[in-house]
Amino acid sequence: MTRFLLRRLGGALFVLLALSVVVYAAFYVAPGNVAQIACGPRCSPAQVAQVSDQLRLGDPLYVQYAHFLQGIFAGRDYSTGTGILHCQAPCLGRSYQDDQQVTQMILTKLPATASLAIGAFVLWILLGVGTGLLSVWRRGRATERILTGLTLAGMATPVFVVGLLLIIVFCSALQLLPFPDYVPLTENPEQWAWNLLLPWVSLALVSAAPYARMTRSSMLETLAEDHVRTFRAYGVSERGLVGRHALRGALGPVIALGALDIGSMFGGAVLTESLFNIPGVGRELVDAVKNVDLPVVVGLVLVTGFFVVLANAVADILQAMADRRVVLS
Amino acid sequence: MSLVEVSGLTISFDGAAGARAVDGLSFTLEAGAALGVVGESGSGKSASAYALLGLHRGTGATVGGSIRVAGVDVQAATDAELRALRGSRAAMVFQDPLSSLDPYYAVGDQIAEVYRVHTRASRRAARARAVEVLDRVGIPDAARRSRSRPHEFSGGMRQRTLIAMALACEPQLLIADEPTTALDVTVQAQILDLLHHLRHETGMGLLLVTHDVGVAAESVDDVLVMQSGREVESGPVADVLSAPRRPYTRELLSAVPRVDAKRATPAAAPGVKGPVPVPAPRDAGGGEPLLEAVGLRREFGRGSGRVIAVDGVSLTVHRGETLGIVGESGSGKTTLGRMLVRLLDPTGGSLHYGGAEIGSLSDKALRPYRRELQMVFQDPVASLNPRRSIGESVADPLRAAGVLDDTRIRSRVQELLERVGLDPNRYDRYPHEFSGGQRQRVGIARALAAGPELIVCDEPVSALDVTTQAQVTALLAELQRELGLGLVFIAHDLAVVRQVSDRVAVMRQGRIVEQGSVDEVYGAPQDPYTKQLLAAVPALDPALATVRRAARKELAAA
């Protein structure tokens, strides 16, 4: 088990390193005139030259990349022309817009995104697996057809439509809930939950659909397998077959898909965050892209990559625990 | 009242008006007795067994007639009554022990689950019962092994586990559907011995469904022969097997390869047209060998996960000679076969073909030899591309050999199809339109297409019914004599190998333990493993089966 964990960790690190090379090349090397971008369109050639000097763009590419990595692992210093600013590890650079440290910017936005992601994730797993389970359990009846129809509708509906409808119904018409405005968990847990309820529900309603489909199809597949026939021939009830034997078979795919989704959710749910006014990573990313703020974009891509890789590593371990045939080696 | 009373049973899978898979079957089984239902695939024997537990309910199949099992009217019973019957008074053991257990749960928990369905036992008591029955079917260290998951068990142990599950509630009837078909011959003998022993100990009735007449002869008192959903003949097993009254029974019995009979002359090959075979001169032992392997090795994996599949095998194949290779699953015979035609690269040793060393040639340098070294595969379903017509499949080796003229290819392929006993006008048909035996004929035609010198057949008949098996082996033997091919015939079935081979090699754990002429190896086996294998082959004569069973006991004790 320890060996498996170490190997998995090594693999994850390698993926992140490869990602950093690709991202670095795509954003800092390919565009060509980084100094012009950093300085802004109205800079004079002299100012651009000064920025280029500050960012040490004259160094060979591999030296620049090494500095970039050094920043992440050990921190690095930036010259501002008048003095030297230290950027602590993990340093993802400084924003071109306002000279803020990217790491700090992301860290301040992450709690909001994490609140949204984790809450919605729990809801949509319950909703998706539950719907799948119910439609298998009532297969061949009206319930199954209704659920299948709803699932298809869920897959076809964009999150902002669901969210907007929920806001109109619960905040405007019924006035049951306040218009969502993010309140940090540390400030007021109750308000935090109330304000996040609608974003959670709208994200869950939309994201649950693929899980419902997948749970249903892999359970139906398992139900057709020989070992289910064995237990049917031994008098186990349909409830036992579906709930104990078939559901277990659906666990693997749900874990695998869940890991991908939760990982990329940490990169921000742009639409949901914008609609519900949540100051999260997703909105940060939109702003950064709009302003061609390269360090912020690169930082966010790397952080998202980190969470996806992390979630997948966790999923691998869960898979191995759920199915002992998966050899941990 | 009898334990099982079935009368006028009909089953159809495509509505009441559709073709009947079972048509008017009636039989009874007394308490404690054993009945074997024998038939080829598609004869309706498994469907009938499933009907005894009402397993067709809810599947869309239509079941007619009356079925009474242990006092329950299966046709009229409610779902709850049926569930109470299943596993409790009548339990079933399935064909494929690899897929019949839930891979996610420990075997002990699976047995306990079934036990708790039928008794009010606590979890702890059910778990204890599971260990008890596992111990009874001969799982060593049952308390500890009950926590294993199925994949940690061998095929034989998994089948023992299923039998333990059947025993958990002490049923009056055990239904075994091809319980040993997926198992090696030595393991099959162990399982049949176990069933025999349990039946005498518990007094439960046994309904054994099998395609293997030998298995039935070993295990039951009465036998019922089925064909196309109907009973052909039934009676005491000794009578039916020694003096069959019906032509179909006689045909079935004569098709069964005998391990104790000398090689059959392949004169009668039904369905095979062609010129009168000219016997090729045999130079077994003498002359230049066609293919010679010396110390052939193959390893898989690295480090602690390294497996030696073939461990220093030396053999020769002569022109016009058949070398049989027998061994149980995992003995390395398939790996060896693939190396002989260089579908796999040997990791050691040398391979000479027609005087040239081909064991270490590159893919490119091998190309001229590919035409001469061909293979027939085990699974006639999986080894043909379902999206291409059979004619195109047979034409592949011709195209690979550089024949590009379409009319020439077509006429050559049609000639080949005719040669293997297929209608040449079915060139454009797809594999699913053919039966298993016909598909294997397509596979043989494909192997012949490029004009090979040597064909390796890897379990060419193990997926086929016994009557089809006889036809395909006869075809292979005839083709070999006519074309003077070198043939390597790999099989787990000792009787089949005896029927087709001139010389035979017995493999175990990657090595050849014994090699020699067929009569030497089968008549006077030297190696203890060969003796064990031969003792495990089911005998067609029930009296002989009893003697064999005693002999196996002695061998096991020794």
Side-chain angles (χ1 to χ4, degrees):
Chain A
M1 188 75 185
T2 326
R3 267 185 61 188
F4 168 74
L5 284 177
L6 285 176
R7 278 179 49 162
R8 199 64 193 73
L9 207 68
L13 274 177
F14 178 77
V15 170
L16 284 175
L17 213 60
L19 180 68
S20 78
V21 173
V22 172
V23 169
Y24 191 87
F27 288 101
Y28 288 129
V29 181
N33 200 346
V34 173
Q36 180 73 56
I37 296 171
C39 191
R42 278 189 291 274
C43 280
S44 64
Q47 285 169 311
V48 172
Q50 194 190 350
V51 169
S52 172
D53 208 37
Q54 279 172 21
L55 294 176
R56 303 173 69 174
L57 293 176
D59 290 351
L61 286 177
Y62 68 90
V63 175
Q64 292 186 43
Y65 175 71
H67 278 299
F68 174 73
L69 274 192
Q70 184 205 343
I72 293 174
F73 290 108
R76 65 189 283 196
D77 294 326
Y78 281 93
S79 83
T80 57
T82 51
I84 285 179
L85 274 177
H86 182 66
C87 176
Q88 267 184 340
C91 173
L92 292 166
R94 308 179 67 82
S95 164
Y96 293 162
Q97 288 303 110
D98 49 14
D99 238 21
Q100 268 196 58
Q101 293 195 10
V102 173
T103 312
Q104 297 307 319
M105 287 171 70
I106 294 176
L107 282 180
T108 52
K109 306 288 181 184
L110 210 52
T113 294
S115 302
L116 176 65
I118 294 170
F121 179 72
V122 171
L123 260 187
W124 89 56
I125 291 281
L126 291 176
L127 191 68
V129 174
T131 307
L133 181 67
L134 192 66
S135 69
V136 169
W137 172 228
R138 310 289 291 179
R139 64 187 185 280
R141 309 185 202 190
T143 321
E144 189 201 5
R145 284 192 287 277
I146 294 168
L147 287 177
T148 313
L150 284 178
T151 306
L152 196 64
M155 293 190 90
T157 314
V159 68
F160 56 83
V161 172
V162 178
L164 214 52
L165 283 175
L166 287 176
I167 291 178
I168 292 169
V169 173
F170 289 98
C171 306
S172 305
L174 301 174
Q175 304 204 334
L176 286 174
L177 290 168
F179 277 94
D181 187 22
Y182 178 71
V183 177
L185 177 68
T186 45
E187 221 165 82
N188 185 338
E190 204 193 325
Q191 281 303 310
W192 170 81
W194 275 117
N195 278 294
L196 277 169
L197 188 60
L198 283 188
W200 283 340
V201 170
S202 30
L203 205 51
L205 280 177
V206 174
S207 309
Y211 289 80
R213 274 196 151 187
M214 201 177 55
T215 306
R216 177 170 171 273
S217 65
S218 59
M219 283 180 75
L220 288 178
E221 209 172 282
T222 313
L223 278 176
E225 277 174 23
D226 285 354
H227 67 260
V228 171
R229 179 190 63 189
T230 304
F231 289 92
R232 183 172 283 131
Y234 276 89
V236 175
S237 64
E238 200 62 21
R239 188 190 299 251
L241 294 177
V242 171
R244 191 172 147 81
H245 296 281
L247 188 59
R248 186 69 185 259
L251 216 56
V254 167
I255 292 173
L257 184 61
L260 277 180
D261 280 351
I262 186 75
S264 54
M265 277 290 291
F266 272 88
V270 179
L271 288 173
T272 317
E273 286 177 12
S274 306
L275 183 65
F276 291 100
N277 202 22
I278 297 167
V281 175
R283 279 169 61 191
E284 187 69 34
L285 181 63
V286 173
D287 288 344
V289 169
K290 223 161 40 189
N291 297 321
V292 205
D293 198 344
L294 294 183
V296 180
V297 175
V298 168
L300 284 172
V301 170
L302 283 181
V303 168
T304 310
F306 170 76
F307 281 112
V308 171
V309 168
L310 181 74
N312 271 298
V314 172
D316 278 0
I317 295 163
L318 287 178
Q319 294 261 31
M321 278 160 58
D323 185 350
R324 301 292 181 84
R325 286 171 301 175
V326 175
V327 185
L328 296 178
S329 63
Chain B
M1 194 179 59
S2 305
L3 179 59
V4 180
E5 288 174 25
V6 171
S7 76
L9 177 68
T10 60
I11 302 171
S12 60
F13 290 111
D14 43 1
R20 285 177 172 173
V22 176
D23 191 5
L25 188 70
S26 304
F27 62 89
T28 56
L29 175 64
E30 302 303 323
L35 172 70
V37 179
V38 179
E40 297 190 285
S41 55
S43 62
K45 56 191 192 307
S46 289
S48 306
Y50 283 22
L52 295 187
L53 291 179
L55 286 172
H56 294 297
R57 203 173 269 196
T59 61
T62 317
V63 181
S66 94
I67 307 164
R68 289 189 74 83
V69 175
V72 177
D73 181 345
V74 174
Q75 291 285 69
T78 63
D79 285 356
E81 283 167 347
L82 257 187
R83 284 203 300 273
L85 168 72
R86 293 172 180 172
S88 162
R89 273 170 285 172
M92 192 148 180
V93 174
F94 294 94
Q95 170 168 4
D96 188 355
L98 292 99
S99 60
S100 294
L101 288 164
D102 193 321
Y104 297 112
Y105 296 101
V107 293
D109 291 339
Q110 299 190 40
I111 296 173
E113 181 189 351
V114 167
Y115 189 62
R116 271 162 60 83
V117 167
H118 296 290
T119 60
R120 289 171 185 276
S122 65
R123 272 175 202 284
R124 184 186 289 265
R127 207 60 180 61
R129 174 69 182 158
V131 173
E132 195 183 319
V133 286
L134 282 171
D135 184 55
R136 193 152 166 208
V137 297
I139 299 285
D141 197 3
R144 192 174 61 82
R145 297 314 298 267
S146 73
R147 287 191 289 275
S148 304
R149 286 178 174 64
H151 72 271
E152 296 168 76
F153 275 12
S154 66
M157 280 169 84
R158 281 184 248 200
Q159 197 57 290
R160 282 174 194 269
T161 303
L162 276 169
I163 294 171
M165 187 183 276
L167 290 179
C169 297
E170 296 180 341
Q172 295 157 267
L173 170 67
L174 183 70
I175 303 167
D177 181 17
E178 304 269 13
T180 57
T181 305
L183 304 175
D184 278 324
V185 59
T186 51
V187 183
Q188 162 169 293
Q190 290 164 13
I191 295 292
L192 292 180
D193 290 350
L194 173 68
L195 284 175
H196 184 82
H197 170 73
L198 288 171
R199 200 160 73 78
H200 284 268
E201 209 177 69
T202 63
M204 64 184 173
L206 173 69
L207 185 95
L208 179 77
V209 173
T210 181
H211 71 281
D212 189 331
V213 187
V215 167
E218 291 252 324
S219 319
V220 297
D221 314 321
D222 293 297
V223 67
L224 187 159
V225 181
M226 278 185 84
Q227 186 196 15
S228 318
R230 293 167 189 270
E231 175 188 319
V232 174
E233 174 165 7
S234 68
V237 64
D239 296 355
V240 173
L241 297 190
S242 61
R245 294 191 309 271
R246 299 285 180 156
Y248 176 72
T249 316
R250 282 198 285 273
E251 192 190 325
L252 193 67
L253 285 171
S254 69
V256 175
R258 317 267 169 145
V259 77
D260 44 8
K262 296 244 165 149
R263 183 173 174 162
T265 42
V272 181
K273 287 172 269 176
V276 179
V278 185
R282 264 174 205 283
D283 53 356
E288 184 72 4
L290 184 62
L291 184 79
E292 184 177 18
V294 181
L296 213 54
R297 274 174 76 83
R298 174 73 204 198
E299 290 142 24
F300 292 102
R302 276 185 303 178
S304 59
R306 197 175 68 141
V307 177
I308 302 173
V310 173
D311 187 7
V313 164
S314 302
L315 51 80
T316 54
V317 186
H318 292 266
R319 205 167 297 238
E321 177 201 63
T322 302
L323 172 69
I325 298 178
V326 277
E328 299 192 295
S329 51
S331 62
K333 55 191 194 299
T334 291
T335 306
L336 175 64
R338 295 196 167 193
M339 282 197 289
L340 293 182
V341 294
R342 279 298 311 271
L343 277 180
L344 262 179
D345 300 332
T347 47
S350 63
L351 190 63
H352 299 278
Y353 170 76
E357 158 65 37
I358 61 163
S360 51
L361 285 184
S362 68
D363 271 350
K364 203 176 166 205
L366 256 177
R367 210 167 289 158
Y369 296 100
R370 291 279 184 212
R371 189 184 65 78
E372 295 170 25
L373 305 169
Q374 291 290 328
M375 190 145 183
V376 174
F377 298 92
Q378 172 170 14
D379 187 343
V381 179
S383 59
L384 287 172
N385 186 340
R387 287 175 198 84
R388 309 186 65 207
S389 78
I390 56 130
E392 286 163 24
S393 284
V394 175
D396 277 342
L398 284 174
R399 294 213 162 89
V403 184
L404 296 171
D405 178 5
D406 273 344
T407 39
R408 251 185 72 201
I409 287 177
R410 203 175 178 95
S411 70
R412 169 81 179 132
V413 169
Q414 288 185 332
E415 196 184 303
L416 285 163
L417 289 177
E418 191 162 11
R419 185 63 204 87
V420 298
L422 293 170
D423 179 357
N425 296 321
R426 297 180 77 189
Y427 183 101
D428 294 310
R429 299 302 176 101
Y430 288 83
H432 69 268
E433 297 173 75
F434 293 81
S435 69
Q438 288 173 328
R439 277 182 242 193
Q440 200 55 293
R441 287 172 192 267
V442 173
I444 293 169
R446 178 172 58 184
L448 289 175
E453 297 289 327
L454 177 89
I455 300 182
V456 172
C457 305
D458 185 12
E459 298 271 14
V461 296
S462 66
L464 306 177
D465 274 324
V466 55
T467 48
T468 323
Q469 224 175 55
Q471 292 163 12
V472 172
T473 46
L475 171 67
L476 280 170
E478 190 191 297
L479 288 169
Q480 184 221 34
R481 284 190 316 165
E482 187 184 318
L483 304 169
L485 301 170
L487 208 61
V488 177
F489 194 98
I490 299 170
H492 69 281
D493 188 326
L494 286 97
V496 170
V497 169
R498 173 157 212 182
Q499 293 312 305
V500 300
S501 306
D502 300 301
R503 284 188 309 116
V504 64
V506 182
M507 272 192 93
R508 185 191 197 187
Q509 292 171 359
R511 293 166 185 271
I512 289 180
V513 295
E514 186 162 1
Q515 190 170 190
S517 80
V518 169
D519 292 340
E520 278 164 27
V521 174
Y522 282 76
Q526 298 302 310
D527 190 83
Y529 179 68
T530 315
K531 287 181 193 168
Q532 204 184 330
L533 274 182
L534 285 168
V537 175
L540 276 180
D541 174 2
L544 184 60
T546 317
V547 178
R548 287 270 187 86
R549 181 163 278 137
R552 280 201 293 270
K553 238 181 189 166
E554 256 171 53
L555 262 174

